[in-house]
Amino acid sequence: MFTLGNGFPLWDPTGSISRPEIRLREGIRIGDVGLVSRRGDFTFYFNIFLSKTDPYQHLCPPEHEPLLPALDPSEVDIDQKHFRPGTTLVSNGISVSRLSESPMYDLFFLSFSDLIFTTKAREGGIVVLPDGASREDLASTSRLLPYVRKHALEWYLFINEGGTNEPHPNGTLYLVTGCDRAKDWALAVTPQEIEKTGRTTKIRYQQVNRQPWDENPAFSTKRASDKVPHIESCPIFIRGMRIAIDMRSWTKHILKNEPPQYVPHFNLLRTPILGIQADLLTTLEQWRNYPENFQPVITKARFITLYMFVFEQCIHRSYFIL
């Protein structure tokens, strides 16, 4: 979903329902500092524009100094209808088709009908926004940069030396500068298991059902819940700054000149694997991990076909590759 350019997609937009009402209601604010957890939600610690005694704060460094002047509404660009109702977002390799329904059906059920998602991609994600979504972004981040440079080491020291029970590797803290919010949403990702990569699979979305997603073992799904009070909207995508300090300071002050015990893989940046490279890696993984399911005959036939095609093209164009 990164390639769509909307920011970091959250797998759990609702997050923890045990947090205070004020954070349940707003979900996320510009200026929030936290991280994307292994559960796929945004774990909030503190907001740089608020004082450390503000009730909105959760885990604030004792020496916290808010960024002044406070955030003014004129500094934020807001588009209440950035995503139109019925918007569907999919990652590369997923196709969408709509089952034909009569106009009266859609009018009666207030639905944009059923959707079928088909994919053979190595991995993929789906976001459905029945009521659309709003967007808000900080117009300029220029005054944030000096503030972050000044306090980044202080934040990592606090978080790693007693702030939480979970190690925070360099680059995991995230400062939110924008987000997309939606009241109603449905998410799906595939595959759940590595042996299912590269296989054509489908999943159906039905807006009129209480559980809109069909059961499909190849997909993990989520939907907005109407049973959680106080939640007005949830952050679907977040945008911001990943905060990191130079390796010399990190090694000296955080690691104490010792190597880290482990680094959570979900906090490591990586480039999406698409196209031919994705097909090749999928085949290699299936061959290494599930050799009993690997069919070399089909693969050989494909290579022979490709070789003959290249050979014929060379003859047709009157040149040879030596």
Side-chain angles (χ1 to χ4, degrees):
M1 302 298 288
F2 285 104
T3 56
L4 299 181
N6 296 309
F8 197 105
L10 296 179
W11 173 239
D12 184 8
T14 302
S16 172
I17 61 175
S18 62
R19 63 187 190 272
E21 179 182 337
I22 185 173
R23 293 207 303 274
L24 275 174
R25 184 171 61 251
E26 298 190 29
I28 205 168
R29 285 185 183 180
I30 290 177
D32 283 357
V33 175
L35 59 82
V36 178
S37 73
R38 68 186 69 190
R39 300 178 301 275
D41 67 337
F42 182 77
T43 301
F44 166 77
Y45 293 146
F46 61 94
N47 187 286
I48 64 173
F49 293 106
L50 303 176
S51 67
K52 62 181 179 181
T53 58
D54 191 284
Y56 182 82
Q57 305 284 39
H58 171 54
L59 194 63
C60 200
E63 305 299 326
H64 172 68
E65 299 176 0
L67 176 59
L68 298 175
L71 185 65
D72 190 89
S74 63
E75 296 182 81
V76 182
D77 295 330
I78 300 178
D79 183 357
Q80 295 291 352
K81 299 180 180 180
H82 182 78
F83 290 111
R84 298 175 57 187
T87 294
T88 300
L89 304 172
V90 297
S91 57
N92 291 345
I94 298 180
S95 61
V96 188
S97 58
R98 172 176 172 171
L99 296 182
S100 60
E101 300 283 0
S102 67
M104 290 303 296
Y105 177 91
D106 288 341
L107 180 63
F108 180 77
F109 287 104
L110 299 178
S111 165
F112 53 91
S113 193
D114 296 350
L115 301 174
I116 299 292
F117 299 90
T118 306
T119 182
K120 193 182 177 182
R122 172 183 169 85
E123 56 186 15
I126 303 169
V127 177
V128 181
L129 303 171
D131 299 329
S134 63
R135 169 164 291 188
E136 57 186 73
D137 283 296
L138 195 62
S140 173
T141 60
S142 58
R143 74 184 183 106
L144 272 60
L145 297 177
Y147 178 85
V148 171
R149 291 192 185 101
K150 178 181 178 181
H151 296 285
L153 178 58
E154 169 194 329
W155 296 344
Y156 273 111
L157 283 170
F158 169 71
I159 295 297
N160 281 298
E161 294 183 357
T164 67
N165 295 322
E166 184 175 342
H168 291 61
N170 197 12
T172 57
L173 284 183
Y174 198 88
L175 171 59
V176 177
T177 61
C179 68
D180 299 336
R181 304 176 187 269
K183 184 177 181 180
D184 193 10
W185 47 268
L187 311 176
V189 295
T190 187
Q192 287 201 75
E193 301 174 1
I194 191 172
E195 66 267 22
K196 293 183 172 62
T197 59
R199 301 179 183 179
T200 301
T201 184
K202 298 181 179 182
I203 190 169
R204 183 177 181 180
Y205 173 88
Q206 296 175 286
Q207 173 64 15
V208 296
N209 288 349
R210 185 177 182 85
Q211 173 51 261
W213 296 109
D214 279 354
E215 291 188 8
N216 186 328
F219 284 84
S220 295
T221 61
K222 282 184 179 291
R223 63 177 292 269
S225 174
D226 55 3
K227 297 181 180 180
V228 182
H230 311 303
I231 292 183
E232 297 178 358
S233 62
C234 295
I236 306 300
F237 293 96
I238 61 173
R239 292 171 292 281
M241 304 177 182
R242 274 194 179 272
I243 303 171
I245 61 177
D246 65 275
M247 287 306 301
R248 184 174 182 178
S249 298
W250 181 264
T251 303
K252 178 180 179 181
H253 297 285
I254 306 297
L255 298 182
K256 310 298 183 183
N257 296 314
E258 296 181 0
Q261 294 182 354
Y262 69 92
V263 177
H265 71 87
F266 54 86
N267 272 320
L268 297 178
L269 295 176
R270 65 185 181 91
T271 303
I273 302 174
L274 306 170
I276 296 177
Q277 185 182 5
D279 293 339
L280 178 59
L281 288 177
T282 297
T283 302
L284 289 175
E285 287 180 354
Q286 291 178 343
W287 174 64
R288 290 171 180 170
N289 299 306
Y290 305 95
E292 67 278 5
N293 298 329
F294 189 71
Q295 300 179 4
V297 176
I298 297 178
T299 304
K300 182 178 180 181
R302 289 178 179 174
F303 276 107
I304 291 176
T305 303
L306 177 62
Y307 173 79
M308 293 302 296
F309 172 77
V310 173
F311 183 73
E312 290 174 359
Q313 292 298 312
C314 289
I315 295 177
H316 178 71
R317 295 172 183 266
S318 300
Y319 64 84
F320 291 87
I321 301 175
L322 300 178

